[in-house]
Amino acid sequence: MEYTFLGRTGLRVSRLCLGTMNFGVDTDEKTAFRIMDEALDAGINFFDTANIYGWGTNAGLTETLIGRWFAQGGQRRERVVLATKVYEPMSNPVDGPNDVRGLSLYKIRRHLESSLQRLQTDHVELYRMHHVDRRTPWEEVWEAFETQVRSGKVDYIGSSNFAGWHLVKAQAVAKERNFMGLVCEQHKYSLLERTPEMEVLPAAQDLGLGVVAWSPLAGGLLGGNALKANGGIRTSKQTDRIEKHKSQLNRFSSLCAELGEKEANVALAWTLSNPVMTAPIIGPRTVEQLQNVLRTVEISLDENVLQELDDIFPGPDGETPEIYAW
């Protein structure tokens, strides 16, 4: 496994981040435990989850499952750089009118305490905002997070699904408060979703933020099964998207065959070729999927291959404002 620093921090994390969104939903507890054990054995120390995972009335289930895995001991907790998130409602009647999306001080405090209980730990290394809150002022948001950092319950703060200007505004207010602020942004990024290259990635790079890519396989379309007759549950629900991108996916599959590499691994290796990228999130539902994807960090894509991928999956023609002005 390869490692890199998380943005401008001194924290080293693996170049693959284990996503746990499927745990307790599509992946049963026994299999999830095996996946996490094998990930650790393979050198993956960066795990991502969220309080909402499990979804609906089962929100919190994934964190609970991870907590039971930690409780087995064997230094599992000590070996993991753990990230979880806050923003979404948790279907908690006790919160009453505050059981809504947002990042109030009230909500951050209560939701962090609940996450720590489910995870059976006294702290998380990275606490992420699952989305920007356009209503709550940054002074309140940072007061909430500063309190948790000072208490030792959180080491670093991250964001997810922020626009470039959100990152800049958040950091400006943090600087006024002499607070470190954000250390990384988690964003949707793949060969089929390259709009972050216009503004989000350049902003993150300028601010010294690491970037973690979610959905780097575009919801499974880049995983190699989309064009197969029995492509699996994910691709079977995306027939319109598959048809729209069929020509691109065929060309991509042919290129990967020439390289002798699996489509998923090439797609992930492409995200890692971007210098601002910390890690793509991998979301294996089986141990076999995890084992297959470990090859990613060994793949080096030369300039000719990167150019061909650009031809197949064109990105924006530069950063803003040059893309539409001068």
Side-chain angles (χ1 to χ4, degrees):
M1 183 51 57
E2 295 182 359
Y3 301 88
T4 189
F5 291 104
L6 183 63
R8 68 190 186 283
T9 76
L11 179 67
R12 289 173 63 84
V13 295
S14 51
R15 296 305 308 275
L16 296 177
C17 178
L18 181 67
T20 62
M21 187 174 68
N22 294 313
F23 294 175
V25 182
D26 296 325
T27 303
D28 63 35
E29 183 170 312
K30 182 179 179 181
T31 304
F33 280 20
R34 284 190 58 204
I35 289 173
M36 289 188 282
D37 281 335
E38 294 223 9
L40 271 187
D41 289 343
I44 296 176
N45 73 335
F46 195 10
F47 285 24
D48 175 80
T49 192
N51 59 355
I52 195 67
Y53 291 169
W55 312 106
T57 57
N58 289 320
L61 175 61
T62 302
E63 285 187 330
T64 299
L65 186 154
I66 295 171
R68 289 199 288 263
W69 179 71
F70 284 148
Q72 296 179 100
Q75 295 189 315
R76 286 175 170 83
R77 176 65 188 96
E78 292 80 1
R79 295 164 64 191
V80 170
V81 173
L82 179 64
T84 193
K85 309 182 193 73
V86 59
Y87 175 80
E88 296 287 351
M90 292 292 290
S91 301
N92 186 353
V94 176
D95 285 342
N98 286 292
D99 188 35
V100 294
R101 293 180 171 183
L103 295 169
S104 68
L105 189 156
Y106 169 92
K107 180 172 186 172
I108 289 170
R109 175 182 59 82
R110 290 167 66 92
H111 282 215
L112 175 60
E113 291 292 345
S114 295
S115 284
L116 294 178
Q117 289 176 17
R118 287 188 292 267
L119 290 163
Q120 300 193 45
T121 187
D122 61 0
H123 75 286
V124 291
E125 283 73 25
L126 179 60
Y127 202 33
R128 288 191 177 121
M129 293 168 269
H130 214 153
H131 204 286
V132 67
D133 184 346
R134 297 181 175 88
R135 170 64 180 80
T136 306
W138 274 109
E139 290 77 9
E140 178 179 350
V141 174
W142 283 135
E143 177 68 25
F145 285 124
E146 288 169 30
T147 299
Q148 303 306 327
V149 170
R150 287 195 296 268
S151 72
K153 295 177 181 177
V154 174
D155 292 341
Y156 302 98
I157 306 300
S159 58
S160 184
N161 305 308
F162 276 35
W165 72 272
H166 293 140
L167 298 175
V168 173
K169 186 173 183 178
Q171 292 304 74
V173 177
K175 186 175 182 179
E176 291 174 358
R177 301 173 63 90
N178 296 313
F179 184 59
M180 180 184 290
L182 302 172
V183 302
C184 73
E185 159 67 6
Q186 181 175 312
H187 214 84
K188 188 177 185 180
Y189 184 56
S190 72
L191 282 163
L192 281 169
E193 179 50 80
R194 297 183 59 175
T195 52
E197 294 172 10
M198 288 192 292
E199 227 167 14
V200 174
L201 300 190
Q205 188 168 35
D206 186 71
L207 293 167
L209 308 184
V211 177
V212 176
W214 68 267
S215 196
L217 299 183
L221 263 65
L222 299 169
N225 290 324
L227 300 177
K228 296 179 180 178
N230 297 311
I233 296 175
R234 289 185 180 181
T235 53
S236 66
K237 296 179 179 179
Q238 303 186 78
T239 53
D240 290 343
R241 287 187 69 210
I242 293 172
E243 190 61 32
K244 176 183 177 181
H245 297 290
K246 190 172 184 178
S247 175
Q248 291 171 292
L249 295 175
N250 274 317
R251 291 178 63 191
F252 178 57
S253 182
S254 295
L255 173 60
C256 293
E258 291 176 17
L259 297 174
E261 302 287 357
K262 296 179 184 296
E263 288 95 326
N265 292 351
V266 172
L268 293 171
W270 175 85
T271 66
L272 286 173
S273 71
N274 191 310
V276 73
M277 187 60 55
T278 301
I281 293 179
I282 57 171
R285 287 173 285 116
T286 66
V287 173
E288 182 182 13
Q289 288 180 347
L290 171 66
Q291 293 170 339
N292 286 337
V293 84
L294 294 175
R295 162 71 181 156
T296 297
V297 295
E298 301 173 11
I299 298 175
S300 179
L301 304 176
D302 64 32
E303 289 301 318
N304 291 332
V305 173
L306 291 173
Q307 181 58 59
E308 189 162 354
L309 288 170
D310 277 341
D311 292 340
I312 298 172
F313 302 103
D317 190 20
E319 300 174 3
T320 55
E322 287 79 8
I323 190 171
Y324 51 76
W326 62 84

